[in-house]
Amino acid sequence: MMTPNIKLKSIQDWYQGFSIKNLLLPILGILVFLVIWNVGASRVHTSLGTFPGPVAVYEQFQNLIADHQRERQKEVAFYERQEKRNAKKLAKNPDAKIKVRPYTGKPTFFDQIGTSLYTVVAGFVLASLIAIPGGIIIGLSSSVYSAFNPLIQIFKPVSPLAWLPLVTMVVSAAYVSKDPMFSKSFLTSMFTVTLCCLWPTLINTAVGVAAIEKDLLNVSKVLRLGWFTHVIKIVIPSSIPMMFTGLRLSLGIAWMVLIAAEMLAQNPGLGKFVWDEFQNGSSNSLGRIMASVIVIGLIGFLLDRTMLSIQKMVSWDKSQILR
Amino acid sequence: MQAQAEIGEPEKEDLKFGFIKLTDMAPLAIAYENGYFEDEGLYVTLEAQANWKVLLDRVIDGQLDGAHMLAGQPLGATIGFGTQAHIITAFSMDLNGNGITVSNDIWAQMKPNIPKDADGKPVHPISASALKPVVESFKDEGKPFNMGMVFPVSTHNYELRYWLAAGGIHPGYYAPKKGDISGQIGADALLSVTPPPQMPATMEAGTIYGYCVGEPWNQQAVFKGIGVPVITDYEIWKDNPEKVFGVSNEWADEYPNTHLRVVKAMIRAAKWLDENNNANRPEAVEILSRSEYVGADYDVIANSMTGTFEYEKGDKREVPDFNVFFRYNATYPYYSDAIWYLTQMRRWGQIADNKPDSWFMDTAKKVYRPDIYATAAKELIEEGLMEASEFPNFETETGFKPPQSEFIDNVTYDGRYPNKYLESFEIGLKGDDEV
């Protein structure tokens, strides 16, 4: 029986749908996790001290913020010193070329987050630029698909750790410039990410393109659309849901691969932060690593949500349930 | 006006130097923190590297302008053991600073073989002959006796080998001609490479039973309660040269003024580290304990940096020269130091063939550049920042230290006669020997 009072129903909905299921249960889940973590951590004794519990990690997080602020103050002092030195240089020789040097201090935790985000987005965009057109072409023709399928199947499962040495060597050899626009470390991380996160988008796009409804294809034939118009008007819109499934998988992989690549190659970013802390072996190290693990997870989650909202924006089928 | 010899403007002002998380990278950290690099108009970034191999490769391919290196690395690279590249050094970073640590279990087995003093403490230096029965018992059971060092051409590899061989334990040969660069041919103790910061963890995991590494990774084992340092390199060879600052020859040719200025800044840093009888050391320890440098806890780094060394837990002894950065002309790149490393490369087969004494001299001159050091030092004297008395007399200096005899096996080393020196060892290649 339907409740006649609409207002009451919506409140009930809000109460049941939002309050308990969407808010209370997640909070409960997190609380249970924190308790288990706290109890579990206090029982693990490593040679660097007890495994950090939530409180220790929170403290380290505060330390990281303080660290960041200290570094920014040092940066200001650095520029002041540089200005004075440059002024002195000019006084001595008015024709001297003056260049403002960027700050040379250490990148803080938050700087590393910025580097990682920038790198992952660059690698992911590059991968998508290759994978989406590639997927469309492969999906449109079963012969092209047969030709490329074995290659895709072979390269898809290759670990980033296997690509990395190759990419490093190739970038070092091929990218030689006196005044490089990008640093080599950025390029190695980015290409490794690209190579590893290309495949889900490629495959899903191809599948999406191949599975376009017969009716739509017939419409295209009847209207005698040109190849290009056919792709733009029929193929792309109908394969968008699959394409996004691929893109979201790709982005998830991109983020995981990047952290691993940074750890292995010591390229700037969160991965390097974790590895440096492990090498430091200080009594704060484990807490800091745990703090970065949580941040890495949160960022991965946010990246996925961002993709989801883009998907919701461009998807024509608003009734589709996306999660 | 300044003197005519003034060094010109640096050709390259933005520089990136690599280092490994070890206390002996201190001159780099101090030159940065105290603004000595900036005084020279250099904007330097310091970057920790994952291991010695990555560090060397990045200097060779130009990602790093220079780096904190093992003394054997520029020599090994220049003669083509491992990676081939012409690397030079004009600045020696420190003397001493390493130790050999064994696990608690091995220590317990060694202890009955070690004489004790009146207080019941072990008599130092401890010879590897105390370890010999332990290694033999492993051999009898058919088990390998694994130990760690940090790099095939590392100081640590040669120190560990020197100590083992002096105690009658064969550390094995390399045979690069046959493609065997594991260094385990005929070995009683099997030595393998582990990056410095991972040493304690690797020993804790039981993969190796002991290791030779720089600080703070020996004291870390004591703090963690997982191992006991048995000897420092100071006791194996008093005031041995250890790390150098290496750059590629190509880089040095392209940026001569920059190179001189870097050396100037680092000489000042080294002096600061040893000044007033190590008075600045606590401050240096605080700097090194920051996460961007060594990052280990203050107390762990302070143990050795402030002139003491803790062997077995509670057995803390004075070793005032554990880390020497400036005194005894520590920063001067002596040819005789280079030649010692080359003799050890020959001794253990990394240099496969017999080489004449002249070859040792030529190679040393190709890699070690006291001429650059002297120019930088003279400029510092000119500027009034240093005294001439703080340096060797550049007019008469030959680059050879007088024969040294304070080795654990009492052999005398004279850098002028490398082949004669090799003859004096019982274990090791000499003359026309080949593996």
Side-chain angles (χ1 to χ4, degrees):
Chain A
M1 281 284 269
M2 295 269 286
T3 324
N5 191 334
I6 293 173
K7 210 173 179 183
L8 185 70
K9 183 178 185 283
S10 70
I11 287 173
Q12 251 177 357
D13 264 4
W14 181 84
Y15 179 76
Q16 289 186 328
F18 187 71
S19 199
I20 293 187
K21 206 167 164 209
N22 287 356
L23 205 68
L24 211 61
L25 290 181
I27 288 178
L28 197 69
I30 290 173
L31 280 178
V32 170
F33 169 71
L34 286 178
V35 169
I36 295 176
W37 175 14
N38 200 18
V39 173
S42 62
R43 281 157 203 258
V44 182
H45 298 283
T46 74
S47 51
L48 283 178
T50 313
F51 194 84
V55 181
V57 170
Y58 178 74
E59 270 167 23
Q60 284 315 317
F61 204 76
Q62 300 274 322
N63 280 344
L64 288 171
I65 294 171
D67 224 31
H68 181 73
Q69 284 159 347
R70 249 199 320 276
E71 201 59 29
R72 287 291 87 89
Q73 282 165 7
K74 279 174 82 178
E75 185 172 358
V76 172
F78 172 85
Y79 282 113
E80 276 169 6
R81 283 201 308 273
Q82 190 173 186
E83 236 166 71
K84 267 187 214 153
R85 193 164 303 111
N86 283 342
K88 226 163 96 187
K89 210 167 158 187
L90 276 179
K92 207 169 141 196
N93 172 15
D95 301 329
K97 266 194 203 151
I98 297 299
K99 218 171 141 187
V100 177
R101 305 286 159 184
Y103 181 52
T104 56
K106 67 154 180 177
T108 65
F109 183 61
F110 299 94
D111 297 335
Q112 300 287 35
I113 294 178
T115 311
S116 283
L117 276 177
Y118 174 63
T119 316
V120 81
V121 170
F124 172 71
V125 168
L126 182 64
S128 310
L129 288 179
I130 299 168
I132 294 175
I136 291 173
I137 292 167
I138 292 171
L140 282 175
S141 148
S142 59
S143 355
V144 179
Y145 175 79
S146 316
F148 279 98
N149 192 38
L151 293 177
I152 297 175
Q153 298 307 330
I154 289 171
F155 287 124
K156 191 180 62 160
V158 176
S159 146
L161 309 187
W163 280 121
L164 193 68
L166 296 175
V167 175
T168 310
M169 296 315 286
V170 171
V171 168
S172 307
Y175 190 69
V176 190
S177 148
K178 272 276 139 210
D179 190 21
M181 187 157 67
F182 301 109
S183 66
K184 279 182 183 169
S185 56
F186 166 74
L187 291 179
T188 2
S189 300
M190 185 189 75
F191 286 133
T192 310
V193 165
T194 304
L195 278 173
C196 294
C197 78
L198 194 66
W199 314 106
T201 309
L202 189 73
I203 294 166
N204 279 285
T205 308
V207 171
V209 170
I212 299 174
E213 282 175 41
K214 277 268 151 30
D215 295 348
L216 286 170
L217 293 179
N218 290 337
V219 168
S220 172
K221 270 182 197 151
V222 169
L223 294 176
R224 297 182 183 225
L225 296 181
W227 184 84
F228 196 67
T229 328
H230 170 72
V231 169
I232 297 285
K233 298 273 178 198
I234 307 284
V235 173
I236 293 183
S238 23
S239 56
I240 271 190
M242 282 300 279
M243 211 184 275
F244 267 92
T245 310
L247 284 171
R248 280 175 67 192
L249 282 171
S250 281
L251 188 55
I253 290 177
W255 184 237
M256 278 207 289
V257 163
L258 177 69
I259 303 296
E262 284 168 351
M263 278 179 88
L264 196 70
Q266 296 288 285
N267 290 339
L270 277 172
K272 180 168 167 60
F273 178 87
V274 170
W275 196 247
D276 279 352
E277 280 302 332
F278 173 56
Q279 295 218 316
N280 284 347
S282 111
S283 45
N284 294 333
S285 290
L286 290 179
R288 288 175 172 224
I289 292 174
M290 197 65 208
S292 22
V293 163
I294 290 170
V295 169
I296 291 169
L298 280 175
I299 292 176
F301 170 70
L302 287 178
L303 287 174
D304 190 62
R305 290 287 115 170
T306 315
M307 275 313 281
L308 181 67
S309 23
I310 299 175
Q311 182 176 10
K312 277 182 177 159
M313 240 158 49
V314 298
S315 172
W316 43 268
D317 184 4
K318 302 293 181 197
S319 66
Q320 203 181 13
I321 296 171
L322 297 169
R323 52 165 79 203
Chain B
M1 277 305 281
Q2 277 178 321
Q4 287 172 327
E6 192 184 353
I7 298 169
E9 289 298 313
E11 299 87 354
K12 189 177 183 196
E13 295 175 0
D14 304 279
L15 303 170
K16 190 190 267 184
F17 296 147
F19 68 90
I20 296 286
K21 289 178 173 284
L22 291 163
T23 52
D24 52 26
M25 61 75 66
L28 280 170
I30 298 305
Y32 179 87
E33 293 292 332
N34 287 6
Y36 300 149
F37 283 134
E38 289 185 22
D39 288 349
E40 300 294 335
L42 304 173
Y43 296 96
V44 173
T45 312
L46 299 175
E47 197 182 272
Q49 306 295 312
N51 58 56
W52 291 112
K53 167 104 173 67
V54 168
L55 174 137
L56 181 63
D57 288 346
R58 296 183 80 176
V59 170
I60 293 170
D61 74 13
Q63 291 189 61
L64 295 173
D65 293 289
H68 164 224
M69 281 187 189
L70 296 157
Q73 272 186 310
L75 293 161
T78 303
I79 64 170
F81 183 77
T83 323
Q84 162 82 54
H86 190 177
I87 305 281
I88 64 164
T89 177
F91 181 84
S92 172
M93 285 181 75
D94 65 325
L95 305 179
N96 313 319
N98 299 326
I100 295 172
T101 295
V102 297
S103 70
N104 290 335
D105 180 36
I106 301 297
W107 173 244
Q109 297 180 49
M110 274 175 82
K111 228 176 164 180
N113 313 327
I114 300 166
K116 289 179 186 59
D117 66 10
D119 303 334
K121 283 182 174 178
V123 178
H124 283 271
I126 294 172
S127 159
S129 53
L131 179 66
K132 200 175 179 191
V134 184
V135 174
E136 269 160 10
S137 74
F138 269 74
K139 270 179 101 175
D140 292 342
E141 288 171 41
K143 283 193 290 188
F145 191 83
N146 297 319
M147 294 187 90
M149 46 83 184
V150 303
F151 199 67
V153 294
S154 66
T155 324
H156 316 80
N157 187 15
Y158 305 129
E159 283 167 357
L160 184 53
R161 282 166 181 272
Y162 201 101
W163 180 69
L164 289 171
I169 301 171
H170 201 303
Y173 289 127
Y174 292 83
K177 269 189 177 168
K178 292 182 189 145
D180 186 336
I181 48 165
S182 64
Q184 299 181 340
I185 300 172
D188 297 327
L190 305 172
L191 274 45
S192 58
V193 172
T194 307
Q198 265 104 275
M199 285 292 185
T202 312
M203 190 170 76
E204 201 182 357
T207 317
I208 51 177
Y209 303 114
Y211 55 74
C212 179
V213 75
E215 273 310 291
W217 309 115
N218 295 292
Q219 295 297 282
Q220 180 86 319
V222 179
F223 272 72
K224 288 170 122 188
I226 57 168
V228 177
V230 285
I231 192 166
T232 64
D233 59 343
Y234 181 80
E235 297 158 307
I236 298 173
W237 175 16
K238 186 180 164 189
D239 293 333
N240 66 88
E242 229 280 275
K243 300 286 179 347
V244 296
F245 179 75
V247 299
S248 82
N249 189 44
E250 208 181 314
W251 185 92
D253 282 346
E254 205 172 341
Y255 310 114
N257 292 342
T258 312
H259 193 192
L260 284 167
R261 285 169 177 272
V262 171
V263 174
K264 276 174 72 187
M266 291 183 65
I267 293 175
R268 286 178 71 191
K271 183 187 168 182
W272 183 88
L273 277 162
D274 280 11
E275 227 161 27
N276 300 329
N277 215 1
N278 294 354
N280 295 327
R281 290 291 177 88
E283 197 182 333
V285 172
E286 187 279 316
I287 290 171
L288 290 177
S289 69
R290 296 183 197 164
S291 64
E292 66 263 41
Y293 299 121
V294 181
D297 289 347
Y298 181 96
D299 295 339
V300 178
I301 299 179
N303 241 15
S304 63
M305 273 286 274
T306 52
T308 57
F309 194 75
E310 189 167 357
Y311 293 89
E312 207 175 351
K313 205 158 186 95
D315 184 0
K316 203 166 180 172
R317 305 188 184 200
E318 298 286 321
V319 189
D321 282 344
F322 187 88
N323 280 114
V324 173
F325 292 101
F326 189 70
R327 50 183 179 264
Y328 319 135
N329 293 328
T331 51
Y332 188 78
Y334 282 99
Y335 293 136
S336 51
D337 291 348
I339 291 172
W340 187 81
Y341 281 99
L342 293 168
T343 61
Q344 300 305 301
M345 288 179 195
R346 172 66 190 130
R347 183 181 181 189
W348 303 118
Q350 292 176 336
I351 296 169
D353 310 305
N354 189 11
K355 302 277 184 190
D357 283 358
S358 62
W359 179 89
F360 286 89
M361 188 60 217
D362 294 342
T363 310
K365 279 191 168 162
K366 217 171 142 190
V367 178
Y368 274 48
R369 297 291 299 276
D371 54 322
I372 296 175
Y373 180 95
T375 314
K378 283 175 191 161
E379 176 96 352
L380 285 168
I381 298 167
E382 196 80 44
E383 288 172 2
L385 290 167
M386 309 272 279
E387 307 277 330
S389 61
E390 293 174 296
F391 295 106
N393 183 348
F394 295 120
E395 305 311 316
T396 55
E397 181 58 60
T398 55
F400 282 88
K401 288 181 184 168
Q404 292 157 280
S405 52
E406 287 175 278
F407 286 87
I408 191 165
D409 55 0
N410 298 319
V411 170
T412 299
Y413 168 62
D414 184 346
R416 291 169 204 276
Y417 308 105
N419 278 304
K420 207 178 118 200
Y421 178 57
L422 285 168
E423 297 288 344
S424 57
F425 295 115
E426 246 171 68
I427 299 181
L429 302 182
K430 59 198 84 162
D432 286 325
D433 288 355
E434 270 188 49
V435 183

